[in-house]
Structures are given as C-alpha cells and as structure tokens.
Amino acid sequence: DAGVIQSPRHEVTEMGQEVTLRCKPISGHNSLFWYRQTMMRGLELLIYFNNNVPIDDSGMPEDRFSAKMPNASFSTLKIQPSEPRDSAVYFCASRGGDTQYFGPGTRLTVL
Amino acid sequence: KQEVTQIPAALSVPEGENLVLNCSFTDSAIYNLQWFRQDPGKGLTSLLLIQSSQREQTSGRLNASLDKSSGRSTLYIAASQPGDSATYLCAVVGDKIIFGKGTRLHILP
C-alpha cells in the first residue's frame, strides 16, 4: 500500500482565496483525521470521520473551514476564504485498529 | 480538559547513550497512549501504542511505559544512534486525541 496520500504537498495562495486540500486514506481504514500543525500550537485535531461520517468537528477553528468525505477513499479540507493565520502544515491520517498512519502533509502558506 | 506536556522541548546526547523522554497528562481517563516520531518535513510515524490496561510496550531499542495514576509515560531509547534524531511526540487518546508539543532529539555522532 502507498500509505496515506495528500495533495498538494505545498500550496501558496493569497489571502481571500479558496484552498482545497485532498487526502486518500489507506484502503480498508474506516477512520480519517485532519490535523493542523504550527510551531505555536503544535498538532491539533480539526475533525475526524468514521465510516465517512463526521464524528467530531469541534476542532475546526471557524466556519471558513469545512471538510467532506464523499466516499471511503477520498476526503477534502477546504478553507474559504483563506487568511494568513491559516498558514500551517495540514496532515491527514487514517486509522487501522488503534494505530494512526499519517500522510506527508500539505504545507500551506497564505500571503 | 486534557493537557499533555513533554519535557524537555529539546535534548542533545552523545551517540550510544541511553535516554528517556517524558510525557505527562492531566486526565487519567484515557483509552491509550501513543508515541510517534516526526522527521523534519515529514508526517508522523507511530512507534508504540500502550493500551490503558497495559504498563509498557517494547519494540527493538524502544520501550514505552505508562503510569495512569500519576499521569506519566516515558519513552526509553537504548544505545542511541544518529538516526534516532527526530522529534518525538506523545498522544493521549481519551474522548479526544491530544498531542504533546514534542521533544526534539539530537544524537551527536
């Protein structure tokens, strides 16, 4: 298996633009997590899905953030409109059993 | 509210030494605790997972312990190597998963 796949790996955009991050979990995993990592706040859970259903989105910072999982093999995290304080590395992870497997992350820079 | 603390934030030790990384948490109502490794510019790799009913787990040169009553976990690395240089994060899984900010480890050749 190729592991968790995220795209793009790097994204640079201007304030106000819409940003869409993509994730393909490991086949057979039924839980998917979106995280954000910054120097100041560390790694924070934004939202997680179980069997494609959002279970806990209490970590989503504001209404500008939204996440979807239309099927078991694909999820998106969208920020609209983006702001400079959204600059961070965004990780997707999927879970098999108790262990989470992380993707390589998307480094987002909002100018 | 669960809080997870890792001390020290950074650590440098000579190659070959044994070392201990610390993780403390405030709420003992957890399902499990996990240790991860993160290399620069990369995602996290799971190292060890300890269920709440367990006291320790071992994998190769790594040993992780869990003391729920005191809210502590340690990651012991034996005979450290330069390839062990990375950031090590612990994550506490209860109602939510909460990560510590990590310990940045540098093994000096």
Side-chain angles (χ1 to χ4, degrees), chain A residues 26-92:
Chain A
I26 293 173
S27 177
H29 287 186
N30 58 8
S31 295
L32 183 141
F33 305 77
W34 282 101
Y35 294 91
R36 178 173 67 177
Q37 187 176 40
T38 61
M39 288 291 292
M40 287 294 294
R41 300 173 68 92
L43 195 65
E44 301 172 288
L45 176 65
L46 300 177
I47 184 171
Y48 84 91
F49 295 84
N50 204 39
N51 294 321
N52 312 339
V53 176
I55 301 301
D56 183 357
D57 65 354
S58 60
M60 297 285 262
E62 331 177 2
D63 292 345
R64 297 185 297 106
F65 286 70
S66 62
K68 294 182 179 180
M69 192 165 185
N71 57 62
S73 59
F74 183 66
S75 177
T76 60
L77 178 67
K78 185 176 293 186
I79 309 173
Q80 165 64 16
S82 58
E83 297 182 3
R85 59 193 168 117
D86 301 330
S87 297
V89 181
Y90 291 81
F91 289 102
C92 173

Side-chain angles (χ1 to χ4, degrees), chain A residues 84-106:
Chain A
R85 59 193 168 117
D86 301 330
S87 297
V89 181
Y90 291 81
F91 289 102
C92 173
S94 66
R95 184 171 65 192
D98 288 322
T99 301
Q100 291 193 37
Y101 298 82
F102 279 72
T106 296

Side-chain angles (χ1 to χ4, degrees), chain A residues 9 35 37 40-43 45 56 58 91 98-100 102-104, chain B residues 32 34 36 38 41-44 46 49 51 89 95-97 99 101:
Chain A
R9 293 294 312 277
Y35 294 91
Q37 187 176 40
M40 287 294 294
R41 300 173 68 92
L43 195 65
L45 176 65
D56 183 357
S58 60
F91 289 102
D98 288 322
T99 301
Q100 291 193 37
F102 279 72
Chain B
N32 62 58
Q34 301 183 43
F36 291 86
Q38 185 175 26
K42 301 288 180 63
L44 279 69
S46 179
L49 183 152
Q51 299 289 355
L89 296 95
D95 290 341
K96 297 181 183 296
I97 181 168
F99 281 81
K101 290 193 175 179

